[in-house]
């Protein structure tokens, strides 16, 4: 029997204190909204009042229009309201507690109560005509799809009305209450509207035209017609039984309300419409809603960009305890290190290529690892006695990563493109062990070598991608696959190093769950049995066993820790004496710029000298030939950029792991620099991996831009990406926040399924304790209480639609006005910019592409270019234009817009340049576009004093390009040289290690 999910309750009084304290010392002001983005409405039975879901709150509005009154608080997270025919209740879906359930309230917003519960998502409630039941869609059958369910209003008793393998959602009762119409399809794509009665007898109602989909049915009072929305391309229309209604081309994806047999109310184009059928008029119901913006000031952490003082390494990756339990191998500062416990680390590798994922052989004499020294990431074995090594794999079409030795030392399991393989070390034969899954964890072998286990994602449905991280075990001989929950409805914390890992004796496995370490018994076949039990009570990452199975090594808040596997004694810290520092910088460089753009405005200067001492710009002045001669005689490096344009280094404002470190390796940092990007801002990835990137770049151990690091995106009970960290309560969140403080994150990223009440706690911690900014996929309500940014114009959300952009790609006055007024930045990640390949197909013929992109990335980029050339891009360009219209609207209103790409999507840096071109194509001036990737991100992220423009005293991050980007934005990609932190690179120098590979 499925257990009920305990609802996440946070003390209302405590939240009120937090919310009110957010207003202290802030600029509080009111914004009046008169247009809406994806607003959903329901109408009272007497047709006098509307309740609308506007920006994640429910509001009451007279049906004649006027000023809306807010009914709900920001943390109830209500949506999709539906008024009872009895007029006494309003049903809605709420995400309060971290899972969608059906709730009820009185029409004045009082008497709020929860109708459904558990670990399922319950959505889209609709009252029956007698008001006694509520139909809704749900994944509570736990079979991987959505079905239609009905709840009794008084008792809460549930009945399942549909059970086909299709996804069935958005129910609508027939007027007589005998049938429920619903959308049917695969995932979120509704291919038809069906109806069913309580006995399961169904019939088709509407089929979507080819290339279109249907949503949101609602019955006419006569029960003979049905209204619904039809989505085709970037157009959404209201339809009634196959006929278009009204003139709106951007109808919002919610059920229309029949006011009478010939009058219908619906939303779209930013408005609330009433249309009289049969050729009658369409009128607008005017409204205004007032939002209070409370933007608290907080003290930003000051970063010392100049210090060369040694600091402790925090970027420790994949530490592994030797079989004898006396040594640890790990990755840090772009190298592999070996340390006797109690001793000092000894460097095992050298060079700028990327080394990753060291793993001990069972006899403790060899280390397997992955490295891109031959061009792409392959597996190597290093003999610790002879220091010799051999290459184990050589697959040019992929990166081979995450090696794991079999217990007999004869095979190694590894990951390639989400598929687990094994390689025989004698014959070099490679076999598939576990079929492809999305971002699986590292493989672990059972003690008898017959079973391999990984952490694997199992989504709850096809309609929404999120799920839980389960233990997937595969018997190699038979191929039998078994999925096991680490605990009911729980996830292994991440699929990037948190287990499961078998104990050497094969009796149990260890993994991280709820942020800390657990062990669980397994049977002879490696299948988990009994319940898991906790071993510690502290934040845990990357556990490994000792050879005797009596101890476990792991990371906790930047420290190596060892604990007895029975948890009988407290953990102890393993001292690690390893530091890093920035190189001292006293070198003087003079750059003679033919054209010079400082990043502050539209003006371009000619014939300018930039004098750089160490890592900072000392002064900028008009060029003098005689100065060059003097400086040359003094040994100053003089850079002749007299035929080039010098401008500030570019920012990638939305990055993850700097571009796919495990697959791109050393190439990634180089390609960013080669296209002029001197600063990368993380929006979330594996925490220790990001620390390693930051420290490797900062110390010069690997070539790349300056890196601002975060940790894993903080998500909720369900997640998607392998490095997402899910939390379900305040205790688990606090573990995350304490680690953020210990590792000194540069920002916090909250993700799709984290409730807003926990998001607020994370924001307050980031501001008050870390002095850093926070951002998420959501605008409201965070925009009103102090969140710093939104990481996309719109992206994956928990609702299946966005409150910041319609299905047609349009953002209306509510969002444009609120962002402009609030001072919260919005990052554009214009995926549709790939359509602009067609305007410059030669962009991929550049030698930087062939040299610094992996073969599989080049293949993907070429396919995108060819598709842009050969197929009609009008819809894609329309989407792109609408996104740019939104950005320009926010910018012209005084808001802040940044440019990012959500890298590592294929085409590192290229998509950013296409994004710049899109901004100019659809209305920005070239200098305005360039500011979205220079000055504006530096200011938004808190580094405007040091970065973002070329001024005396600022850090020397600059780019030298041929041509003039102020006249032709395409020239911004023509990078000849780049300087980051005062260190100068030519594109030839950056490509050299991979030339010919």
């Amino acid at each position: 029997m499925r257990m009920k999910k305990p609802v996440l309750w946070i003390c209302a009084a405590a939240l009120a204190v937090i919310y009110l304290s957010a207003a202290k010392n802030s600029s509080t002001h009111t914004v009046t909204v008169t247009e809406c983005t994806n607003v959903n409405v329901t109408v009272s039975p007497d047709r006098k009042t509307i309740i609308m879901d506007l920006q994640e709150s429910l509001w009451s509005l007279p049906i004649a229009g006027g000023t809306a009154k807010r009914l709900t608080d920001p943390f109830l997270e209500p949506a999709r309201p539906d008024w009872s025919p009895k007029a006494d209740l309003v049903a809605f879906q709420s995400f309060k507690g971290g899972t969608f359930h059906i709730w009820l309230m009185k029409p004045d917003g009082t008497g709020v109560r929860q109708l459904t519960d558990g670990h399922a998502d319950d959505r889209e409630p609709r009252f029956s005509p007698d008001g006694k039941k509520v139909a809704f869609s749900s994944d509570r059958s736990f079979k991987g799809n959505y079905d239609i369910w009905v709840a009794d209003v008084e008792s809460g008793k549930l009945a399942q009305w549909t059970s086909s393998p299709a996804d069935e959602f958005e129910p609508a009762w027939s007027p007589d209450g005998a049938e429920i119409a619903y959308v049917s399809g695969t995932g979120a794509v509704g291919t038809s509207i069906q109806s069913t009665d309580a006995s399961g007898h169904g019939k088709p109602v509407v089929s979507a035209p080819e290339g279109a989909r249907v949503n949101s049915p609602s019955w006419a009072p006569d029960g003979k017609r049905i209204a619904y929305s039809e989505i085709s391309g970037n157009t959404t229309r209201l339809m009634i039984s196959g006929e278009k209604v009204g003139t709106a081309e951007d109808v919002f994806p919610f059920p229309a309300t029949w006011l009478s047999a010939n009058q219908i109310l619906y939303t779209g184009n930013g408005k609330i419409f009433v249309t009289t059928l049969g050729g009658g008029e369409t009128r607008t119901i005017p409204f205004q809603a007032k939002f209070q913006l409370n933007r608290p000031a907080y003290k930003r952490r000051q970063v010392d960009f100049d210090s060369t003082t040694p600091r402790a390494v925090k970027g420790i990756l994949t530490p592994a305890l030797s079989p004898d339990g006396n040594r640890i191998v790990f990755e840090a500062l772009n190298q592999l290190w070996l340390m006797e416990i109690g001793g000092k680390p000894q460097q095992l590798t050298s060079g700028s290529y990327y080394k990753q994922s060291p793993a001990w052989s069972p006899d403790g004499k060899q280390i397997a690892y992955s490295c891109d020294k031959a061009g792409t990431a392959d597996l190597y074995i290093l003999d610790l006695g002879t220091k010799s090594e051999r290459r184990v794999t050589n697959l040019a079409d992929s990166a081979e990563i995450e090696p794991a030795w079999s217990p007999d030392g004869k095979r190694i399991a590894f990951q390639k493109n989400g598929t687990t393989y094994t390689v025989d070390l004698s014959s070099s034969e490679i076999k598939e062990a576990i079929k492809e899954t999305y971002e699986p964890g590292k493989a672990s072998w059972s003690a008898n070598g017959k079973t391999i286990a990984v952490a694997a994602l199992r989504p709850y449905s096809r309609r929404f991608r999120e799920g839980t991280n389960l233990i997937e075990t595969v018997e190699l001989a038979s191929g039998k696959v078994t999925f096991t929950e680490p605990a009911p409805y729980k996830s292994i914390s991440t699929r990037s190093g948190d287990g499961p890992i078998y104990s050497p004796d094969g009796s149990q496995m260890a993994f991280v769950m709820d942020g800390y370490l657990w062990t669980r018994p397994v049977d002879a076949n490696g299948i988990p049995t009994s319940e898991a039990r906790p071993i510690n009570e502290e934040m845990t990452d990357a556990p490994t066993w000792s050879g005797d199975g009596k101890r476990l090594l792991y990371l906790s808040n930047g420290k190596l820790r060892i604990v007895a596997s029975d948890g009988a004694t407290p953990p102890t810290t393993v001292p690690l004496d390893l530091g890093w520092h920035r190189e001292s910088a006293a070198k003087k460089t003079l750059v003679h710029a033919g054209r010079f753009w400082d990043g502050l405005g539209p003006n371009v200067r000619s014939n300018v000298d930039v004098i750089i001492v160490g890592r900072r710009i000392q002064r900028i002045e008009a060029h003098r030939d005689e100065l060059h001669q003097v400086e040359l005689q003094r040994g100053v490096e003089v850079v002749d950029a007299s035929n080039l344009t010098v401008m500030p280094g570019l920012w990638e404002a939305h990055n993850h792991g700097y571009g796919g470190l495990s697959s791109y390796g050393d190439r990634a940092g180089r390609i960013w620099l080669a296209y002029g990007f001197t600063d990368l801002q993380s929006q979330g990835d594996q925490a220790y991996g990001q620390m390693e990137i930051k420290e490797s770049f900062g110390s010069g151990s690997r070539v790349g831009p300056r890196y601002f690091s975060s940790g894993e995106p903080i998500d909720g009970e369900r997640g998607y990406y392998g490095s997402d960290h899910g939390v379900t309560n305040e205790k688990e969140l606090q573990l995350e926040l304490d680690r953020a403080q210990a590792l000194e994150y540069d920002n916090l990223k909250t993700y799709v399924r984290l409730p807003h009440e926990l998001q607020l706690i994370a924001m307050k911690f980031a501001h008050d304790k870390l002095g850093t900014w926070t951002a998420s996929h959501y605008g409201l309500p965070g925009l009103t209480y102090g969140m710093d940014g939104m990481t996309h114009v719109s992206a994956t959300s928990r609702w299946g639609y966005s409150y910041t952009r319609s299905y047609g790609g349009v953002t209306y006055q509510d969002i444009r006005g609120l962002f402009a007024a609030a001072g919260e930045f919005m990052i554009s990640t214009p995926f549709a910019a790939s359509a602009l390949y067609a305007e410059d197909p030669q962009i991929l013929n550049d030698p930087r592409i062939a040299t610094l992109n992996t073969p599989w990335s080049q293949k993907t980029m070429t396919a995108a270019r060819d598709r842009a050339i050969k197929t009609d891009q009008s819809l894609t360009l329309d989407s792109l234009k609408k996104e740019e219209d939104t950005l320009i609207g926010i910018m012209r209103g005084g808001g802040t817009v940044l440019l990012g790409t959500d890298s590592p999507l294929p085409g590192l840096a290229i998509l950013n340049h296409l994004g710049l071109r899109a901004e100019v194509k659809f209305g920005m001036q070239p200098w305005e576009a360039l500011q979205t990737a220079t000055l504006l991100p530096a200011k938004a992220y808190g580094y405007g004093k040091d970065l973002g423009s070329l001024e005396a005293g600022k850090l020397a991050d600059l780019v030298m390009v041929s041509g003039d980007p102020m006249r032709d934005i395409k020239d911004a990609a023509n990078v000849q040289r780049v300087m980051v932190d005062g260190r100068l690179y030519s594109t030839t120098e950056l490509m050299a290690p991979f030339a010919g590979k």
Side-chain angles (χ1 to χ4, degrees), residues 620-772:
I620 300 167
E621 59 188 35
H623 170 68
R624 292 179 291 146
D625 286 333
E626 63 272 17
L627 178 62
H628 279 210
Q629 297 305 315
V630 172
E631 298 293 11
L632 282 169
Q633 291 174 7
R634 291 177 178 174
V636 173
E637 181 178 6
V638 176
V639 179
D640 182 8
S642 58
N643 63 340
L644 303 175
T645 298
V646 175
M647 64 183 194
L650 300 173
W651 284 70
E652 156 62 317
H654 188 132
N655 180 265
H656 298 278
Y658 99 82
L661 179 59
S662 61
S663 59
Y664 275 85
D666 185 35
R667 295 174 188 259
R670 294 173 180 274
I671 197 167
W672 284 117
L673 288 177
Y675 277 93
F677 289 84
T678 57
D679 295 273
L680 303 181
Q681 173 59 62
S682 170
Q683 298 293 344
D685 209 324
Q686 202 272 342
Y688 291 94
Q690 291 185 83
M691 298 305 121
E692 192 276 342
I693 295 165
K694 182 176 182 178
E695 293 168 355
S696 290
F697 286 167
S699 65
S701 303
R702 190 163 62 243
V703 174
R706 183 180 292 101
Y707 191 74
F708 295 97
S709 58
S710 183
E712 291 89 352
I714 303 174
D715 215 338
E717 181 175 292
R718 303 183 184 192
Y720 179 65
Y721 289 106
S723 60
D724 289 351
H725 247 228
V727 301
T728 59
N729 55 55
E730 199 170 344
K731 175 185 175 182
E732 294 171 23
L733 176 61
Q734 193 59 52
L735 289 176
E736 295 283 344
L737 299 178
D738 290 343
R739 182 177 63 163
Q741 189 168 29
L743 295 184
E744 298 180 284
Y745 289 8
D746 293 315
N747 62 292
L748 280 182
K749 169 74 174 286
T750 60
Y751 208 50
V752 173
R753 299 274 304 197
L754 185 74
H756 291 317
E757 55 191 3
L758 289 181
Q759 182 191 67
L760 175 58
I761 293 171
M763 183 209 77
K764 288 290 293 176
F765 188 93
H767 288 179
D768 297 344
K769 302 295 185 182
L770 306 180
T772 59

Side-chain angles (χ1 to χ4, degrees), residues 589 637 639 958 960 977-980 982-986 989:
T589 306
E637 181 178 6
V639 179
L958 53 87
M960 305 173 207
R977 290 187 172 187
V978 60
M979 179 179 282
V980 58
R983 170 71 162 88
L984 185 66
Y985 298 90
S986 68
E989 178 185 359

Side-chain angles (χ1 to χ4, degrees), residues 175-205:
D176 61 4
E179 295 178 72
I180 294 176
Y182 57 88
V183 177
S184 177
T186 301
V189 178
T191 55
S192 67
I193 294 173
Q194 308 281 327
S195 76
T196 186
D197 60 22
S199 64
H201 293 115
K203 62 183 179 182
V205 178

